[in-house]
Amino acid sequence: MDDMATSLRGLTVLVTGASGGIGGASAELFAAQGATVYLGDVDDAAGQARAHALGPAAHYLHLDVTSEENWAAATSAIAANGHALGVLVNSAGAAIKAPLQQTSPDGFRKMLDLNLIGTFLGIKAAAEAMVDGGSIVNLASLRGVLATAELGAYGAAKSGVRVLTRVAALELADRGIRVNAVCPGSIETEITSVPDFAADDTTAYVRSIPMQRRGSSEEVAKTIRFLATDDSAYITGTDLIIDGGQAAGVRTPKIFTESVSK
Ligand SMILES: NC(=O)c1ccc[n+]([C@@H]2O[C@H](COP(=O)([O-])OP(=O)(O)OC[C@H]3O[C@@H](n4cnc5c(N)ncnc54)[C@H](O)[C@@H]3O)[C@@H](O)[C@H]2O)c1
């Protein structure tokens, strides 16, 4: 345990998408440091198993983030347990990979519904539940920063999450509620191992990352913890890119450097 272990005692955290990679790692990190953690997801079996493994201070809630009723039920359940919501991590999300020409309007709407409207509903529900200030961390994506071919619907939703984050930060600042986002690049989770992505030339892709590797859920979780806690007390309305350097710019191709040095 590090020296933050005691500082998260008494904090109540709700993590959506907590049956998955980044949400799960975040729930584990907060729980390990003494917080009461509510894990929300639609994958009930995985979420329940994870909450059980985390011990008595972890609770699983069925929470479909696209459902306003589910959000109301979740925040009511937390309050009924005598807990005051302090942190919301909006991690539920998914990506569909397809060129725009092959994306149906229905598929596009589904991406917006889950990734963008789900986050909007979470912000609304948390803002109502957070009576004494708090912190909301939204999962945007590098794909909402750098336009990425074949990730149009997902990227549009995630760039929307970035603007939504700033609007919420402006509107909630006077209530002591901070709202920030993280923009992960490529992180090893279920999302990056689905066949749509696995079909890509992974070696070439990883070589294009300046740090030459994908990130881990734990690395993203630590950044989420930073934005969620008082370590970032004066930060609101920002988004933090976690991408091994991909958004920093373009590296000089190796063959070019070699010919110049000759
Ligand atoms: N993995 C990456 O490379 C990466 C990169 C950038 C952004 N992100 C974002 O990070 C977040 C977490 O992604 P991950 O990599 O952990 O993915 P993941 O697939 O491991 O986890 C996503 C979780 O969301 C849950 N979920 C799906 N629909 C839901 C709904 N309607 N309501 C509640 N839960 C629902 C899934 O059951 C799953 O447990 C997502 O918002 C994703 O877009 C991931």
Side-chain angles (χ1 to χ4, degrees), residues 57-89:
H59 313 267
Y60 178 75
L61 297 166
H62 177 88
L63 171 53
D64 178 345
V65 296
T66 66
S67 159
E68 212 172 347
E69 293 73 29
N70 275 202
W71 276 108
T75 52
S76 299
I78 293 169
N81 281 350
H83 295 134
L85 186 65
V87 169
L88 168 66
V89 179

Short mmCIF file of all heavy atoms in Angstrom, two decimals, residues 57-89:
data_model
loop_
_atom_site.label_atom_id
_atom_site.label_comp_id
_atom_site.label_asym_id
_atom_site.label_seq_id
_atom_site.Cartn_x
_atom_site.Cartn_y
_atom_site.Cartn_z
N ALA A 57 -16.26 -3.91 0.97
CA ALA A 57 -16.46 -2.49 0.63
C ALA A 57 -16.75 -2.29 -0.85
O ALA A 57 -16.86 -1.16 -1.33
CB ALA A 57 -15.22 -1.68 1.03
N ALA A 58 -16.89 -3.39 -1.60
CA ALA A 58 -17.23 -3.29 -3.03
C ALA A 58 -18.61 -3.87 -3.27
O ALA A 58 -18.98 -4.90 -2.69
CB ALA A 58 -16.19 -4.04 -3.85
N HIS A 59 -19.38 -3.19 -4.09
CA HIS A 59 -20.77 -3.60 -4.35
C HIS A 59 -21.01 -3.55 -5.85
O HIS A 59 -20.60 -2.61 -6.52
CB HIS A 59 -21.75 -2.63 -3.69
CG HIS A 59 -21.42 -2.32 -2.26
ND1 HIS A 59 -21.94 -3.01 -1.20
CD2 HIS A 59 -20.58 -1.39 -1.73
CE1 HIS A 59 -21.45 -2.51 -0.08
NE2 HIS A 59 -20.62 -1.53 -0.37
N TYR A 60 -21.72 -4.56 -6.35
CA TYR A 60 -22.05 -4.56 -7.78
C TYR A 60 -23.47 -4.04 -7.98
O TYR A 60 -24.40 -4.37 -7.24
CB TYR A 60 -21.93 -5.95 -8.40
CG TYR A 60 -22.32 -5.92 -9.86
CD1 TYR A 60 -21.46 -5.38 -10.80
CD2 TYR A 60 -23.58 -6.36 -10.28
CE1 TYR A 60 -21.82 -5.29 -12.14
CE2 TYR A 60 -23.96 -6.27 -11.62
CZ TYR A 60 -23.07 -5.73 -12.54
OH TYR A 60 -23.44 -5.62 -13.87
N LEU A 61 -23.65 -3.20 -9.02
CA LEU A 61 -24.97 -2.72 -9.41
C LEU A 61 -25.16 -2.98 -10.90
O LEU A 61 -24.24 -2.68 -11.67
CB LEU A 61 -25.07 -1.20 -9.23
CG LEU A 61 -24.94 -0.58 -7.85
CD1 LEU A 61 -24.72 0.92 -7.99
CD2 LEU A 61 -26.22 -0.85 -7.07
N HIS A 62 -26.32 -3.50 -11.29
CA HIS A 62 -26.60 -3.56 -12.72
C HIS A 62 -26.87 -2.13 -13.18
O HIS A 62 -27.79 -1.47 -12.70
CB HIS A 62 -27.82 -4.46 -13.02
CG HIS A 62 -28.15 -4.47 -14.48
ND1 HIS A 62 -27.57 -5.36 -15.36
CD2 HIS A 62 -28.95 -3.67 -15.23
CE1 HIS A 62 -28.02 -5.12 -16.59
NE2 HIS A 62 -28.85 -4.09 -16.53
N LEU A 63 -26.03 -1.63 -14.07
CA LEU A 63 -26.19 -0.24 -14.52
C LEU A 63 -25.90 -0.14 -16.01
O LEU A 63 -24.75 -0.12 -16.46
CB LEU A 63 -25.22 0.67 -13.72
CG LEU A 63 -25.08 2.13 -14.17
CD1 LEU A 63 -26.43 2.83 -14.27
CD2 LEU A 63 -24.18 2.90 -13.20
N ASP A 64 -27.01 -0.11 -16.78
CA ASP A 64 -26.90 0.17 -18.21
C ASP A 64 -26.84 1.69 -18.34
O ASP A 64 -27.83 2.39 -18.06
CB ASP A 64 -28.12 -0.41 -18.94
CG ASP A 64 -28.09 -0.10 -20.44
OD1 ASP A 64 -27.31 0.77 -20.87
OD2 ASP A 64 -28.88 -0.72 -21.18
N VAL A 65 -25.70 2.20 -18.76
CA VAL A 65 -25.51 3.66 -18.74
C VAL A 65 -26.42 4.40 -19.71
O VAL A 65 -26.54 5.63 -19.62
CB VAL A 65 -24.02 4.04 -19.00
CG1 VAL A 65 -23.13 3.52 -17.90
CG2 VAL A 65 -23.55 3.58 -20.38
N THR A 66 -27.04 3.68 -20.64
CA THR A 66 -27.94 4.36 -21.57
C THR A 66 -29.35 4.53 -20.98
O THR A 66 -30.22 5.11 -21.61
CB THR A 66 -28.05 3.59 -22.91
OG1 THR A 66 -28.68 2.33 -22.67
CG2 THR A 66 -26.68 3.36 -23.53
N SER A 67 -29.55 4.00 -19.79
CA SER A 67 -30.88 4.04 -19.17
C SER A 67 -30.93 5.03 -18.02
O SER A 67 -30.26 4.87 -17.00
CB SER A 67 -31.25 2.63 -18.66
OG SER A 67 -32.24 2.71 -17.67
N GLU A 68 -31.75 6.05 -18.19
CA GLU A 68 -31.92 7.07 -17.13
C GLU A 68 -32.45 6.42 -15.85
O GLU A 68 -32.05 6.78 -14.74
CB GLU A 68 -32.91 8.13 -17.63
CG GLU A 68 -32.61 9.50 -17.10
CD GLU A 68 -33.47 10.58 -17.75
OE1 GLU A 68 -34.13 10.33 -18.78
OE2 GLU A 68 -33.48 11.69 -17.19
N GLU A 69 -33.33 5.41 -16.03
CA GLU A 69 -33.91 4.72 -14.87
C GLU A 69 -32.82 3.97 -14.10
O GLU A 69 -32.81 3.97 -12.87
CB GLU A 69 -35.00 3.72 -15.30
CG GLU A 69 -36.25 4.35 -15.90
CD GLU A 69 -36.05 4.91 -17.30
OE1 GLU A 69 -35.19 4.39 -18.04
OE2 GLU A 69 -36.73 5.90 -17.65
N ASN A 70 -31.93 3.31 -14.85
CA ASN A 70 -30.83 2.59 -14.19
C ASN A 70 -29.95 3.55 -13.39
O ASN A 70 -29.48 3.23 -12.29
CB ASN A 70 -29.97 1.85 -15.21
CG ASN A 70 -30.52 0.48 -15.60
OD1 ASN A 70 -29.79 -0.36 -16.08
ND2 ASN A 70 -31.81 0.26 -15.42
N TRP A 71 -29.68 4.72 -13.94
CA TRP A 71 -28.87 5.71 -13.22
C TRP A 71 -29.56 6.14 -11.92
O TRP A 71 -28.92 6.22 -10.86
CB TRP A 71 -28.59 6.94 -14.08
CG TRP A 71 -27.42 6.76 -15.00
CD1 TRP A 71 -27.45 6.60 -16.36
CD2 TRP A 71 -26.03 6.73 -14.63
NE1 TRP A 71 -26.16 6.46 -16.85
CE2 TRP A 71 -25.27 6.54 -15.82
CE3 TRP A 71 -25.35 6.84 -13.42
CZ2 TRP A 71 -23.88 6.47 -15.82
CZ3 TRP A 71 -23.96 6.77 -13.42
CH2 TRP A 71 -23.24 6.58 -14.61
N ALA A 72 -30.86 6.40 -12.02
CA ALA A 72 -31.61 6.82 -10.83
C ALA A 72 -31.59 5.72 -9.77
O ALA A 72 -31.38 5.99 -8.57
CB ALA A 72 -33.06 7.18 -11.21
N ALA A 73 -31.74 4.48 -10.23
CA ALA A 73 -31.74 3.35 -9.28
C ALA A 73 -30.37 3.21 -8.62
O ALA A 73 -30.26 2.92 -7.43
CB ALA A 73 -32.13 2.06 -10.01
N ALA A 74 -29.31 3.41 -9.41
CA ALA A 74 -27.95 3.26 -8.86
C ALA A 74 -27.65 4.32 -7.80
O ALA A 74 -27.17 3.99 -6.71
CB ALA A 74 -26.92 3.34 -10.00
N THR A 75 -27.95 5.56 -8.10
CA THR A 75 -27.64 6.62 -7.12
C THR A 75 -28.55 6.48 -5.89
O THR A 75 -28.11 6.74 -4.77
CB THR A 75 -27.75 8.03 -7.74
OG1 THR A 75 -29.02 8.16 -8.37
CG2 THR A 75 -26.64 8.29 -8.74
N SER A 76 -29.78 6.01 -6.08
CA SER A 76 -30.67 5.77 -4.93
C SER A 76 -30.13 4.66 -4.05
O SER A 76 -30.16 4.75 -2.82
CB SER A 76 -32.08 5.37 -5.37
OG SER A 76 -32.64 6.38 -6.12
N ALA A 77 -29.63 3.59 -4.70
CA ALA A 77 -29.10 2.45 -3.93
C ALA A 77 -27.89 2.90 -3.10
O ALA A 77 -27.72 2.48 -1.94
CB ALA A 77 -28.71 1.32 -4.87
N ILE A 78 -27.04 3.73 -3.68
CA ILE A 78 -25.85 4.21 -2.96
C ILE A 78 -26.29 5.04 -1.75
O ILE A 78 -25.79 4.86 -0.63
CB ILE A 78 -24.94 5.03 -3.92
CG1 ILE A 78 -24.35 4.09 -4.99
CG2 ILE A 78 -23.83 5.74 -3.15
CD1 ILE A 78 -23.65 4.80 -6.14
N ALA A 79 -27.24 5.94 -1.97
CA ALA A 79 -27.73 6.79 -0.87
C ALA A 79 -28.42 5.93 0.20
O ALA A 79 -28.24 6.16 1.40
CB ALA A 79 -28.69 7.85 -1.41
N ALA A 80 -29.18 4.93 -0.23
CA ALA A 80 -29.90 4.07 0.72
C ALA A 80 -28.93 3.29 1.61
O ALA A 80 -29.26 2.93 2.75
CB ALA A 80 -30.81 3.10 -0.03
N ASN A 81 -27.72 3.05 1.10
CA ASN A 81 -26.69 2.38 1.92
C ASN A 81 -25.97 3.36 2.85
O ASN A 81 -25.02 2.98 3.53
CB ASN A 81 -25.63 1.73 1.01
CG ASN A 81 -26.11 0.41 0.43
OD1 ASN A 81 -27.14 -0.12 0.83
ND2 ASN A 81 -25.36 -0.12 -0.51
N GLY A 82 -26.39 4.63 2.81
CA GLY A 82 -25.77 5.63 3.68
C GLY A 82 -24.46 6.17 3.14
O GLY A 82 -23.69 6.78 3.89
N HIS A 83 -24.22 5.98 1.84
CA HIS A 83 -22.98 6.47 1.24
C HIS A 83 -23.24 7.73 0.41
O HIS A 83 -24.25 7.83 -0.26
CB HIS A 83 -22.34 5.39 0.37
CG HIS A 83 -21.88 4.20 1.15
ND1 HIS A 83 -22.14 2.89 0.76
CD2 HIS A 83 -21.20 4.12 2.31
CE1 HIS A 83 -21.62 2.07 1.67
NE2 HIS A 83 -21.05 2.79 2.61
N ALA A 84 -22.31 8.67 0.50
CA ALA A 84 -22.43 9.91 -0.28
C ALA A 84 -21.46 9.83 -1.46
O ALA A 84 -20.24 9.73 -1.27
CB ALA A 84 -22.08 11.11 0.59
N LEU A 85 -22.02 9.86 -2.65
CA LEU A 85 -21.17 9.70 -3.84
C LEU A 85 -20.15 10.84 -3.94
O LEU A 85 -20.51 12.02 -3.93
CB LEU A 85 -22.05 9.69 -5.11
CG LEU A 85 -21.33 9.38 -6.42
CD1 LEU A 85 -20.77 7.96 -6.42
CD2 LEU A 85 -22.26 9.58 -7.62
N GLY A 86 -18.87 10.46 -4.05
CA GLY A 86 -17.81 11.46 -4.16
C GLY A 86 -17.12 11.46 -5.52
O GLY A 86 -16.64 12.49 -5.98
N VAL A 87 -17.10 10.27 -6.15
CA VAL A 87 -16.40 10.15 -7.44
C VAL A 87 -17.23 9.29 -8.39
O VAL A 87 -17.75 8.24 -7.99
CB VAL A 87 -15.01 9.49 -7.25
CG1 VAL A 87 -14.39 9.10 -8.60
CG2 VAL A 87 -14.06 10.41 -6.49
N LEU A 88 -17.35 9.74 -9.62
CA LEU A 88 -17.93 8.91 -10.69
C LEU A 88 -16.87 8.74 -11.78
O LEU A 88 -16.32 9.74 -12.26
CB LEU A 88 -19.17 9.56 -11.29
CG LEU A 88 -19.68 8.91 -12.59
CD1 LEU A 88 -20.19 7.49 -12.35
CD2 LEU A 88 -20.77 9.75 -13.25
N VAL A 89 -16.63 7.50 -12.14
CA VAL A 89 -15.75 7.21 -13.29
C VAL A 89 -16.64 6.64 -14.39
O VAL A 89 -17.19 5.54 -14.25
CB VAL A 89 -14.63 6.21 -12.92
CG1 VAL A 89 -13.76 5.92 -14.15
CG2 VAL A 89 -13.79 6.73 -11.76
#
